[in-house]
């Protein structure tokens, strides 16, 4: 799993070896960009994907790559290695490469981290931090036509593209409590 910010790095290359794997790239709002591995255009045969963000063009020398376009700069890449053999999974893991296309002549080694002890990167932050992150992402990403209604609702909370997020003490209290209520509602719905 990796978080790719194409605004900071530019377009990204994702190299997947042939083998038993399935994964995807989703945009910031969890909308599908492409599948990878068995369900993807490489059909488990391996391939090099070129991930482009809004307004980004494929640079010269990238012919032959599987070009996919995301509507956001921030993207989540996830791949599950499906080989029942631990050595097979390790061999595949060693061949996966992720790097900015600008470094394709001499791609850096892909750094692999192992999270243990129940650590998770998928837990939404609580309190005002949630709203601060949302405001940051709204300012980093292009606003699409289909998002206009949501942007109008966020404006009433003080989150608006091109403007700093500076809630007063009253609004901070409301938003902090809202994250706890929203989490409780989501848990109740899931249950």
């Amino acid at each position: 799993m990796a978080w790719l910010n194409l605004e900071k790095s530019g377009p990204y290359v994702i190299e997947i070896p042939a083998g038993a794997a399935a994964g995807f790239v989703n945009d910031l709002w969890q909308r599908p960009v492409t599948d990878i591995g068995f369900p993807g255009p490489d059909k488990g045969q391996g391939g090099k994907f070129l991930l482009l963000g809004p307004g980004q063009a494929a640079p010269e020398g990238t012919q032959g790559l599987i070009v996919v376009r995301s509507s956001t700069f921030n993207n989540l890449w996830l791949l599950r290695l499906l080989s029942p053999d631990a050595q097979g999974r390790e061999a595949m893991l060693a061949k996966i490469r992720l790097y900015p296309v600008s470094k394709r002549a001499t791609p850096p080694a892909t750094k692999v981290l192992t999270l243990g002890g129940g650590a998770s990167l998928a837990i939404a932050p609580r309190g005002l931090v949630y709203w601060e992150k949302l405001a940051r992402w709204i300012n980093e990403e292009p606003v699409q036509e289909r998002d206009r209604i949501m942007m109008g609702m966020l404006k009433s909370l003080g989150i608006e593209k091109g403007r700093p997020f500076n809630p007063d003490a009253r609004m901070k209290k409301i938003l902090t409590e809202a994250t706890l209520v929203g989490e409780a509602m989501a848990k109740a719905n899931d249950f």
Side-chain angles (χ1 to χ4, degrees), residues 58-71:
E60 288 293 320
T62 57
Q63 295 79 3
L65 275 65
I66 301 167
V67 177
V68 293
R69 297 182 183 280
S70 175
S71 60

Side-chain angles (χ1 to χ4, degrees), residues 70-128:
S70 175
S71 60
T72 63
F73 289 109
N74 290 282
N75 292 269
L76 172 68
W77 168 81
L78 186 134
L79 186 70
R80 182 173 296 230
L81 304 178
L82 303 173
S83 172
D85 170 39
Q87 289 178 333
R89 289 191 306 273
E90 288 297 320
M92 279 190 74
L93 184 61
K95 294 178 185 174
I96 294 170
R97 306 291 301 271
L98 294 112
Y99 51 89
V101 73
S102 62
K103 297 183 179 182
R104 70 186 175 279
T106 55
T110 300
K111 189 176 188 179
V112 177
L113 303 174
T114 301
L115 298 177
S120 173
L121 302 174
I123 298 172
R126 289 182 173 157
L128 197 60

Side-chain angles (χ1 to χ4, degrees), residues 13-82:
V13 176
I14 302 169
E15 292 184 25
I16 305 300
F24 59 82
V25 175
N26 278 358
D27 72 8
L28 174 68
W29 308 119
Q30 298 181 9
R31 295 176 298 213
V33 174
T34 189
D35 287 323
I36 295 175
F38 287 143
D42 61 308
K43 303 204 182 309
Q45 300 304 306
K48 290 184 181 182
F49 291 78
L50 177 62
L51 179 60
L52 302 172
Q56 295 177 335
E60 288 293 320
T62 57
Q63 295 79 3
L65 275 65
I66 301 167
V67 177
V68 293
R69 297 182 183 280
S70 175
S71 60
T72 63
F73 289 109
N74 290 282
N75 292 269
L76 172 68
W77 168 81
L78 186 134
L79 186 70
R80 182 173 296 230
L81 304 178
L82 303 173

